[in-house]
Amino acid sequence: DLGRHDESLVLKREVFARCTATLGASHEQTISTGLNVSSSLYNLELWDEAISLARELLPPARSMGADQHLTLCLSQNLAMALRDNPESTRGEPRTNQRRGDATRL
């Protein structure tokens, strides 16, 4: 890891935007590139964006199948972002640290 997450996110967003415009939001490649954006957002602790994007991508991913790889990875990323977002807790004090990187392709 070279720690260039900010630069990586810019490029991943560009690819995701191109895929969305060219292939459509429901295309498997678009969802895959969106998963990569969501993973970068998670790794940069941009919780709200990571959660929002994962929630946006889950319905088209689920249409490919509940047990499909992209669906499972997006569900995992959403769960991890919800867990690790300090503002998502249920009023309990946070005592644990982040437990791992988000899933990416």
Side-chain angles (χ1 to χ4, degrees):
D1 181 11
L2 299 175
R4 298 173 69 178
H5 295 290
D6 291 322
E7 288 178 65
S8 173
L9 179 59
V10 170
L11 295 172
K12 288 177 182 180
R13 284 185 198 262
E14 288 176 12
V15 172
F16 179 58
R18 286 186 200 160
C19 285
T20 302
T22 305
L23 303 171
S26 303
H27 193 277
E28 185 174 355
Q29 185 62 41
T30 303
I31 296 167
S32 178
T33 59
L35 171 63
N36 289 332
V37 173
S38 176
S39 297
S40 289
L41 292 167
Y42 173 87
N43 291 329
L44 288 166
E45 299 182 1
L46 298 171
W47 310 116
D48 292 337
E49 287 182 79
I51 291 166
S52 177
L53 183 57
R55 284 183 170 153
E56 176 186 327
L57 294 169
L58 269 170
R62 285 186 181 128
S63 72
M64 291 187 283
D67 294 330
Q68 203 266 357
H69 179 72
L70 289 172
T71 306
L72 297 173
C73 289
L74 281 164
S75 296
Q76 178 183 6
N77 282 6
L78 176 58
M80 289 170 52
L82 288 168
R83 176 198 67 200
D84 293 342
N85 181 354
E87 295 177 16
S88 292
T89 61
R90 297 179 186 218
E92 300 171 10
R94 297 213 11 106
T95 57
N96 59 338
Q97 297 292 323
R98 265 182 50 194
R99 292 176 241 193
D101 288 339
T103 305
R104 59 186 176 273
L105 296 177

